[in-house]
Amino acid sequence: EEKVFNKIPGVWNLSADQGNLGTFFLTNVRVVWHANLAENFNVSIPYIQIKSVRVRESKFGPALVLATSARSGSYVLGFRVDPAEKLGLVHKEVQALYDTYSADPVFGVQYSVEEQAPQLQALKVPQTVDDVEIDDSEHASRDPLAAYYADGSKGFDREPALNPYLGLAVETLQDGVTMENLWSVL
């Protein structure tokens, strides 16, 4: 569960040439900054994406610099803290939260183990032998559809002939096979 640890006003985002005044929110999961005049201009940086937290000199003076990992775009984000004396405290707090997260990450999923998983032996299903009976009767061996699938001489088409059962011209059937037999398969 995400918890807000600190709200720090007077933080400038240095992404534009002039900088934008906003507010930092430090949580146990991420650092959030939003512009005071336009809250839709914001940045949310999860600790899982942060590569480094440091203080560096910028054209606006000393700044807190958050660098993200290559997998999250390799961004380098700079923030100036007013008054400048608070920069060291903000840096220490962000670094401590980052280190805490790195040691014991919070992914946003809560769970509890209620019982142990059953042992493998308890999950095994005994093997059974199917009760199968093979029908060798003459009717079973006269499957017309199987005869067509097993017809090895089907290298050419048979001559078409009128089938009175369908009222259509169809390929002549093999000896002993009727159209009624073929349709009874369905």
Side-chain angles (χ1 to χ4, degrees):
E1 181 177 312
E2 185 172 17
K3 296 175 187 154
V4 177
F5 285 101
N6 202 351
K7 176 182 175 183
I8 305 166
V11 178
W12 294 78
N13 181 330
L14 305 178
S15 64
D17 283 337
Q18 76 277 3
N20 289 292
L21 181 60
T23 304
F24 248 170
F25 292 89
L26 305 179
T27 78
N28 59 328
V29 177
R30 61 190 168 152
V31 175
V32 178
W33 175 90
H34 74 79
N36 290 345
L37 298 177
E39 290 188 8
N40 62 340
F41 181 43
N42 59 68
V43 179
S44 174
I45 312 155
Y47 294 123
I48 197 167
Q49 294 181 351
I50 292 178
K51 183 172 76 173
S52 67
V53 178
R54 60 189 171 177
V55 174
R56 229 171 66 182
E57 194 61 38
S58 74
K59 67 180 178 179
F60 297 100
L64 176 69
V65 176
L66 304 176
T68 65
S69 65
R71 291 187 79 171
S72 57
S74 297
Y75 293 104
V76 178
L77 303 163
F79 300 94
R80 190 183 87 196
V81 179
D82 281 340
E85 297 78 38
K86 283 180 33 179
L87 178 60
L89 294 172
V90 173
H91 174 247
K92 282 183 182 179
E93 187 171 4
V94 172
Q95 186 68 52
L97 288 168
Y98 171 71
D99 291 341
T100 302
Y101 179 89
S102 297
D104 188 21
V106 176
F107 296 115
V109 178
Q110 305 298 321
Y111 71 94
S112 62
V113 179
E114 294 179 5
E115 61 183 58
Q116 291 287 24
Q119 295 295 322
L120 181 61
Q121 287 295 59
L123 296 174
K124 285 188 176 178
V125 178
Q127 187 176 10
T128 59
V129 177
D130 291 338
D131 185 20
V132 177
E133 183 179 324
I134 298 175
D135 186 2
D136 283 335
S137 68
E138 183 177 324
H139 179 315
S141 64
R142 270 313 265 158
D143 182 358
L145 199 55
Y148 268 88
Y149 281 125
D151 185 8
S153 65
K154 186 61 179 149
F156 57 92
D157 289 337
R158 294 182 188 88
E159 289 294 318
L162 176 66
N163 184 289
Y165 180 75
L166 292 177
L168 296 171
V170 295
E171 190 176 279
T172 54
L173 301 175
Q174 291 178 338
D175 292 335
V177 176
T178 66
M179 190 59 69
E180 291 85 359
N181 288 349
L182 288 174
W183 280 97
S184 71
V185 171
L186 298 174

